[in-house]
Amino acid sequence: MEALLIPVLILVLVAAGVLLAVRAWSRRGQRSRPAAMPQPDPDSAELARAAAAKLNQEQHRRLYALIAQGQAMAAIKVYLEATGDGLRASRDAVAALAAHPQPFRAPEAVKEPAPDEDEVPQRFSYRYRAIASKGDVTREVSSNMLNDEIYGRIRTLAKSGDTEAAATALTRHSDISMKQAREFIALLDD
């Protein structure tokens, strides 16, 4: 019996060691997994509002007609095709829309950003004259959309080597063609 005691003891110690290792490994695996994102309650009014916002007026009308007729599968199919959401998300959205009916709301118009002051030239009450000359060649630009500040920016662009941007800015703030603006800018790069 004593001869069996040592191998049984070794077997018990090895089994205990394996159990401890498996337990530690499973705990480490649970800690490294990210926590699941909390899903909104499928019957929440917030989900219904978000789901209704994804639909245009015709899709909204068709979906609620199917819900009213008790055709949940057809309603889920309409929602899935309209939004491209997954099957589970579509099912939850239709359930939320059925539980919390939402009126159709047209999407609000997106407000365009205010244009840059260089894009929409301001008209001034006076006429500004810009003159450039080189040798015997002289060019003049006269406009009520130019002032010292804008002309200074145009000159800075021309002197920095960005003649296309300078010519474009000049055509935006005057009534000359791009060819005439390039000729005028060519005289500024002294």
Side-chain angles (χ1 to χ4, degrees), residues 86-107:
L87 184 59
R88 180 175 289 158
S90 297
R91 180 198 66 196
D92 293 345
V94 169
L97 287 166
H100 304 281
Q102 299 293 313
F104 176 74
R105 290 188 180 98

Side-chain angles (χ1 to χ4, degrees), residues 142-177:
S142 180
S143 175
N144 63 346
M145 295 179 282
L146 278 172
N147 63 16
D148 285 331
E149 179 185 349
I150 295 168
Y151 184 61
R153 280 189 263 162
I154 292 170
R155 287 180 56 102
T156 303
L157 284 170
K159 290 187 182 209
S160 69
D162 196 355
T163 56
E164 276 304 304
T168 303
L170 186 58
T171 57
R172 266 190 260 142
H173 291 90
S174 64
D175 297 324
I176 64 173
S177 69

Side-chain angles (χ1 to χ4, degrees), residues 6-7 34 38 46 57 62 69 72 79 97 102 108 114 151 175:
I6 291 181
E46 184 175 321
Q57 190 169 9
R62 283 182 49 213
Q69 294 169 2
Y79 187 85
L97 287 166
Q102 299 293 313
E108 295 179 18
Y151 184 61
D175 297 324

Side-chain angles (χ1 to χ4, degrees), residues 52-140:
K54 294 179 181 180
L55 301 171
N56 66 29
Q57 190 169 9
E58 176 62 23
Q59 294 162 342
H60 187 270
R61 187 196 59 73
R62 283 182 49 213
L63 185 96
Y64 272 107
L66 292 169
I67 290 172
Q69 294 169 2
Q71 297 180 6
M73 292 304 294
I76 291 170
K77 183 178 178 186
V78 166
Y79 187 85
L80 182 111
E81 290 172 353
T83 63
D85 289 353
L87 184 59
R88 180 175 289 158
S90 297
R91 180 198 66 196
D92 293 345
V94 169
L97 287 166
H100 304 281
Q102 299 293 313
F104 176 74
R105 290 188 180 98
E108 295 179 18
V110 177
K111 186 178 178 183
E112 293 186 26
D116 188 20
E117 71 178 44
D118 283 342
E119 290 181 24
V120 180
Q122 177 183 358
R123 296 203 178 267
F124 303 105
S125 59
Y126 55 88
R127 207 130 170 95
Y128 187 88
R129 288 179 51 197
I131 300 172
S133 64
K134 187 185 276 185
D136 292 342
V137 180
T138 301
R139 297 280 186 261
E140 177 182 333

